[in-house]
Amino acid sequence: DEQIYRENMGAILRGAGLAVQSADSMQAAREKAQLSPPSLILLDLDLPGSDGLANLGEWLGMPAPPHVIVLSDATAQGQVLEALRRGAADYLAKPLHEEEFLLSVQRGLKAWSVAEDLRGLESRIEGLAARSGSLLAEAREAAASAGSDDALRQAVVEMACDALSARRASLLVLDSQGRHLVVMNRAGVDAAPEGTQPISCEEGVSGFVFRRARPTLITDM
């Protein structure tokens, strides 16, 4: 709520190349957060007219909760310890030391970024697991249906694209002689599989990966 603090903190963070919004009350902060959800919150536990710990709970209860650093006088140790117990990531005592302040914010933004990546990965895994379960159910129900094999293979190739964040993918099957890999299904490619030539198991990247018989990351074609 103290203007000089807000201005000085904002100047330090902007000087480090960070985008900053400031507010002198929880209500003003809520309104700004609705327009631009924050990655990190610097929360004064002593805002007039509001409960600091309740404010902390509100930020941490957001769908994608920001990293919260609480600010308070050095004398309010009990409130600070409770804030840390409830999920605040860090604590800074007023008056702030510039280097310590900036380091805490940068560390917090890095931690938030890692947590956000993890949430995105968990969401992708949940989606892929649901799709895998659906494909398995379809395979069991439609194993004898004409054309069902092709539809299921195509669904698997498309799911592989999503799982690997790949622009295109192909499913290759060993021919009856065991000498060539034949393209059965493709995703992200306009050309039909029928127009591709069989690939020798002894040649090229596909042959190399086939011979290794395990997932392989090729960084240089």
Side-chain angles (χ1 to χ4, degrees), residues 19-32:
V20 181
Q21 294 191 85
S22 62
D24 62 0
S25 68
M26 262 305 280
Q27 182 56 37
R30 287 189 196 101
E31 293 170 358
K32 293 189 176 187

Side-chain angles (χ1 to χ4, degrees), residues 4-10 12-13 42-44 69-74 91-102 104-105:
I4 188 65
Y5 266 110
R6 290 199 312 277
E7 291 177 351
N8 287 343
M9 291 165 67
I12 292 169
L13 297 176
L42 292 159
L43 176 64
D44 187 349
I69 299 172
V70 294
L71 312 175
S72 186
D73 294 326
Y91 155 69
L92 293 172
K94 298 184 289 186
L96 301 178
H97 183 277
E98 182 174 333
E99 289 185 5
E100 180 187 9
F101 167 57
L102 187 55
S104 178
V105 170

Side-chain angles (χ1 to χ4, degrees), residues 27-112:
Q27 182 56 37
R30 287 189 196 101
E31 293 170 358
K32 293 189 176 187
Q34 287 178 349
L35 298 175
S36 179
S39 305
L40 183 141
I41 292 289
L42 292 159
L43 176 64
D44 187 349
L45 290 176
D46 305 314
L47 285 175
S50 64
D51 183 327
L53 294 176
N55 295 341
L56 171 65
E58 184 175 333
W59 290 120
L60 295 179
M62 295 177 68
H67 193 91
V68 181
I69 299 172
V70 294
L71 312 175
S72 186
D73 294 326
T75 56
Q77 289 299 312
Q79 189 182 36
V80 168
L81 289 174
E82 182 62 19
L84 293 172
R85 189 187 70 80
R86 295 191 186 189
D90 202 356
Y91 155 69
L92 293 172
K94 298 184 289 186
L96 301 178
H97 183 277
E98 182 174 333
E99 289 185 5
E100 180 187 9
F101 167 57
L102 187 55
L103 180 62
S104 178
V105 170
Q106 291 172 332
R107 189 168 54 224
L109 287 172
K110 185 175 181 179
W112 179 88

Side-chain angles (χ1 to χ4, degrees), residues 137-148:
E138 288 180 32
R140 287 171 173 167
E141 293 175 4
S145 300
S148 63

